[in-house]
Amino acid sequence: MSTTYRMPGAVLTEREHSVPLVHGDPLRGTISVFTRELAAPDGLDRPYLVFLQGGPGFEAARPTSPPSGWMARALADFRVLLLDQRGTGRSTPVGPVIPGAAPADQAEYLTHFRADSIVLDLELIRAELGVERWSLLGQSFGGFTSLTYLSLAPEGLREVLITGGLAPITNRPVDEVYAATWARVREANQRYHARYPGDVDRLRTILRRLDEEDVRLPNGDRLTSRRFRQIGMWLGDSAGFERLHHLCGFNRSMQRFG
């Protein structure tokens, strides 16, 4: 099923694709995978560039009207296919309750939402759209998925572009990889606090309050100090220092109003 829309600077085609939950085992049923094709009005026959979002667990970036940033540039040479990877966005979600009577069953179910299944989804979609070969743009986890694509189905690829997501391809142990990552995170923390030294006390106040009080998010989940620390991922973003600083400043402003 597909629907086409026209907006300033682009033509959008939204599609829902039916794919097996478990590739190779049709008895396990099917799920839906959503794609959004973005094309310039004069570029409806250009080759495809498939965008693989980071995460894992994030849906594809949403286009603006008119398209901006990297999408605007890509449309000069491609039609961009934005994939909501299985389990994300408008594709069939994993859901708040994972199917399966026992933890082992639930864990087995989740194994079907990895990069290998995403690649096989795309191969079905490529055949459905009648595309001989297409290009990939892999961001973060999307880069990891691009490497899986190169391993499983290189015949479907014209070229692969990877931004910030290159999985270790040597025989180095994972402990060594994460030790190097820890050093980079520590260095980023030091640079952040050198830029905004006043945020140390603000962050400690927030963490202490989250340990002592039952603070709830809009969806009802508890916001723990451990969960709050996940915003440290912003330290790896080009604008992350400022985003984190503004969040600390917002917290300080809210305290004035009780």
Side-chain angles (χ1 to χ4, degrees):
M1 182 177 68
S2 66
T3 307
T4 299
Y5 305 93
R6 292 185 176 271
M7 68 181 196
V11 178
L12 294 178
T13 302
E14 298 180 348
R15 300 184 179 94
E16 294 182 6
H17 311 267
S18 180
V19 300
L21 169 65
V22 182
H23 289 276
D25 186 357
L27 296 180
R28 294 288 298 271
T30 62
I31 59 174
S32 176
V33 170
F34 176 82
T35 62
R36 178 180 284 110
E37 179 182 316
L38 182 67
D42 62 348
L44 299 179
D45 58 350
R46 288 175 184 158
Y48 277 102
L49 174 68
V50 179
F51 176 66
L52 295 174
Q53 179 61 287
F58 297 156
E59 67 274 10
R62 277 19 185 173
T64 59
S65 176
S68 60
W70 70 265
M71 289 189 197
R73 174 60 186 88
L75 291 181
D77 300 301
F78 298 98
R79 283 178 284 172
V80 177
L81 190 69
L82 302 166
L83 169 74
D84 281 0
Q85 302 164 13
R86 53 169 55 204
T88 72
R90 288 176 58 179
S91 296
T92 299
V94 172
V97 179
I98 301 173
D105 299 325
Q106 296 174 353
E108 188 277 335
Y109 181 83
L110 290 176
T111 64
H112 305 298
F113 290 81
R114 300 181 303 197
D116 53 348
S117 295
I118 294 169
V119 168
L120 294 176
D121 290 345
L122 281 172
E123 279 296 278
L124 290 179
I125 294 169
R126 184 174 66 86
E128 182 180 325
L129 298 180
V131 179
E132 182 178 357
R133 289 174 176 262
W134 53 21
S135 303
L136 297 182
L137 173 59
Q139 159 61 19
S140 191
F141 173 70
F144 291 20
T145 306
S146 298
L147 293 180
T148 302
Y149 210 137
L150 285 166
S151 298
L152 296 181
E155 66 279 0
L157 300 176
R158 176 186 175 199
E159 60 192 338
V160 176
L161 310 172
I162 295 176
T163 63
L166 187 62
I169 54 178
T170 67
N171 291 323
R172 295 185 181 278
V174 67
D175 288 346
E176 184 175 334
V177 174
Y178 278 104
T181 302
W182 182 89
R184 293 288 297 273
V185 173
R186 185 171 185 270
E187 187 269 336
N189 270 276
Q190 291 171 340
R191 287 191 289 111
Y192 171 76
H193 289 300
R195 185 180 302 181
Y196 298 113
D199 287 359
V200 173
D201 290 338
R202 295 177 191 172
L203 286 166
R204 285 174 177 164
T205 299
I206 294 170
L207 295 173
R208 184 166 53 251
R209 181 174 179 181
L210 294 177
D211 283 335
E212 296 173 353
E213 300 180 23
D214 186 352
V215 178
R216 297 284 166 170
L217 295 169
N219 67 352
D221 289 351
R222 182 175 178 182
L223 178 59
T224 63
S225 61
R226 183 176 180 180
R227 188 168 184 175
F228 182 81
R229 286 187 176 94
Q230 293 180 11
I231 63 172
M233 66 186 298
W234 287 352
L235 296 175
D237 189 286
S238 58
F241 284 19
E242 281 58 54
R243 293 176 67 189
L244 184 53
H245 174 66
H246 298 326
L247 178 65
C248 291
F250 174 78
N251 177 267
R252 186 182 186 187
S253 300
M254 292 299 291
Q255 288 179 340
R256 296 198 192 106
F257 295 97

